[in-house]
Every structure is written in C-alpha cells, then in structure tokens.
Amino acid sequence: MLPMNSNKHERQPVLYIPHGAGPCFFMDWNPADTWLGMGNFFKGIAATLPQQPKAIVLVSAHWLEPQFSVTGHARPELIYDYYGFPPHTYELTYPAPGQSQLAQQLADLLNADELPAQVDAHRGFDHGMFIPLKLMFPGADIPVIQLSLRADFDAQAHLDAGRALAGLRDDNVLIVGSGMSFHNMRAYGDTSFSAISDEFDEWLTAAVESPPPQREQLLSHWEQAPQARQCHPPRAEEHLIPLMVAAGAGYQSEGQKIYSEHIMETTISAFRFG
C-alpha cells in the first residue's frame, strides 16, 4: 500500500473501479458477505493515494449522452437510478459539491481535442458516483465532476477523451472510471459463466498491464477479446467503457490490477494506472 504524501505536486493515479449492484453496500444481502470484500477495497483506496485529491472527475456507466457532457451544478442532487431496493436506500445522501470552473475546463479540454463536449448545468450525481464514493471518501468534502459516456460506445473516442484530461492528474485531480469489469445481468449467479468471466478477466488484466501503446491497441479492440460479448453484450458495454477513459488518462503510466474477487459466480476486477 502506498503511503500518503503531502507533496502537492505529486501526480494522482487513475482508477477503474466496479461499483457493485445498486446500493448493495448499504443493505442486507444473501449471503451477507457478498459485497464485503469490494466494500473494504473502497474503504482502503484513499490511503493508497499520494495525497487527498483537490477534486475528482468520475466517469459513470450510468450516464450516456450523444456527446460528452460534464456536470456543472454547484450542488448536484442525487439520482437514485436503481430499482426494487429497500426504501432506506432511496434516502442515502452524499452532499459533495460540484465545481463549475473545473467542469468548464473539462469541456474545453475535450473540445480542444475535437471531442465535442458540453456542460450540463442541471444533471445530478447517479449511483455509479455516490455509492462507491460514500465508501472511498465518506466526508463528501471533495468536489466531484461527473463525465458522461458517449452513447456510441466508441472505445477509441473514450481513450482519446481520457488522454485529453490526463494533465489534470498533475493538478491533484483524481480521475475515476466507475463501471463493472463483468456486466451481463443475465449471467450473475450462473455458474456456467464462471470460466467465461475468468477468461475475459485474464485477457483484460494482460491488456491493462501491457506497455501503453500495446495497451491502447488492445483496449480499442476489446470486443475481439475471448468471451468479450458474453461478458459485455452488444450495445450493453457501458460498464466497461469507463475503463477506456481511465486508460486514456493513464496513457503514460503503468497499469496494474489492484482488486479482484469472485462475486455472484463471476470475476470482477479493478485497475490502476500510475
């Protein structure tokens, strides 16, 4: 585990994390420890960073737009975009502020790289943001900007978007991709998908841990990986695409797997760049 460091100029890493199933960390589950390991992983992340970030840019699987969009509201409301969970999970809070100046900076950086982007002054924070961050940074005192995915799911465009934002890391901004490395809703709990998820996870880990130029080539054609479409069905790859933004933002940095667990009969992993 990396020590905390007070050097304000030290570069932040980039993370790609799984965000679990809805509000899974804040309710009873059967078996009771299903999400315990992932929750503990989140609780330990802050201690691995060089310092507390001054801001977080989070790319959530749960926000799709025709072009890249960023949250511009000073106090975004929460979007409880999960269904059929206990009533108390719709009362969870995470009052992290937004930051309009940083939002505009993100849009400007993307537009400068010919990746059309806009600031959305009304969009709130979805559960791909507030559920993991409640465990990672429970004080909710770090400004957060959400970045949408582009609804065409173009892998190269999302790698390029991450690269456009990479310089923010040197300004103590933590960039986080929030999704799931395996996300086939019909497969969770199905033992026949255990080996399938393992095979894809092995490929994904090898791709992330490849030298940066090779890594980008592999990830930009991720659908050619073994079992790729069993793990992320066509037009439902939104939980993998945040990894492309993370890899793009970490394009000069070494990639590594930092968490992996067998949950609901499938292998789910997290990665770090830098």
Side-chain angles (χ1 to χ4, degrees):
M1 189 167 286
L2 302 177
M4 295 294 286
N5 190 306
S6 61
N7 180 359
K8 67 180 181 179
H9 298 298
E10 189 162 349
R11 169 179 273 199
Q12 286 286 357
V14 186
L15 306 176
Y16 170 73
I17 61 169
H19 59 235
C24 59
F25 309 105
F26 304 99
M27 56 181 285
D28 294 331
W29 208 269
N30 187 20
D33 64 351
T34 299
W35 300 101
L36 182 61
M38 188 181 292
N40 287 336
F41 163 67
F42 288 149
K43 291 175 183 179
I45 283 177
T48 71
L49 303 178
Q51 62 206 352
Q52 177 166 301
K54 76 171 189 181
I56 298 168
V57 172
L58 185 138
V59 188
S60 170
H62 292 279
W63 187 15
L64 311 179
E65 294 289 349
Q67 64 181 36
F68 291 112
S69 298
V70 295
T71 54
H73 199 286
R75 290 285 175 181
E77 296 182 351
L78 300 189
I79 303 172
Y80 300 98
D81 53 342
Y82 40 75
Y83 308 96
F85 290 94
H88 76 270
T89 63
Y90 298 90
E91 298 175 1
L92 295 171
T93 62
Y94 195 74
Q99 192 177 91
S100 59
Q101 184 176 357
L102 179 57
Q104 188 60 57
Q105 183 181 0
L106 261 67
D108 290 345
L109 288 168
L110 291 166
N111 281 309
D113 273 15
E114 299 183 351
L115 296 162
Q118 63 183 2
V119 175
D120 186 328
H122 305 288
R123 169 78 184 190
F125 291 144
D126 61 59
H127 82 271
M129 175 277 201
F130 69 83
I131 292 298
L133 291 193
K134 277 182 72 68
L135 296 175
M136 292 166 61
F137 301 101
D141 53 355
I142 301 173
V144 181
I145 302 298
Q146 264 199 240
L147 170 65
S148 78
L149 298 179
R150 209 171 74 180
D152 63 3
F153 297 142
D154 184 286
Q156 187 61 57
H158 289 83
L159 285 158
D160 292 343
R163 186 174 294 197
L165 305 180
L168 295 173
R169 298 171 57 195
D170 295 313
D171 197 25
N172 196 23
V173 174
L174 177 67
I175 300 173
V176 180
S178 175
M180 292 283 274
S181 62
F182 177 96
H183 195 264
N184 182 336
M185 293 297 291
R186 293 180 295 178
Y188 289 125
D190 185 343
T191 56
S192 68
F193 275 83
S194 296
I196 289 171
S197 69
D198 288 345
E199 188 174 0
F200 180 72
D201 188 79
E202 289 172 6
W203 179 91
L204 195 62
T205 300
V208 166
E209 295 182 350
S210 295
Q214 181 182 356
R215 178 172 72 212
E216 181 162 322
Q217 178 69 14
L218 289 167
L219 292 178
S220 67
H221 296 92
W222 69 270
E223 70 279 1
Q224 298 176 11
Q227 309 295 349
R229 286 306 188 182
Q230 293 295 311
C231 300
H232 297 278
R235 302 309 305 158
E237 58 260 46
E238 71 280 352
H239 280 73
L240 182 66
I241 298 301
L243 173 61
M244 309 307 159
V245 182
Y251 74 100
Q252 292 180 320
S253 300
E254 179 182 351
Q256 61 178 315
K257 181 186 286 187
I258 55 173
Y259 160 85
S260 193
E261 191 173 1
H262 199 68
I263 300 175
M264 295 189 297
E265 308 298 343
T266 60
T267 298
I268 298 171
S269 297
F271 302 96
R272 170 174 168 147
F273 303 89

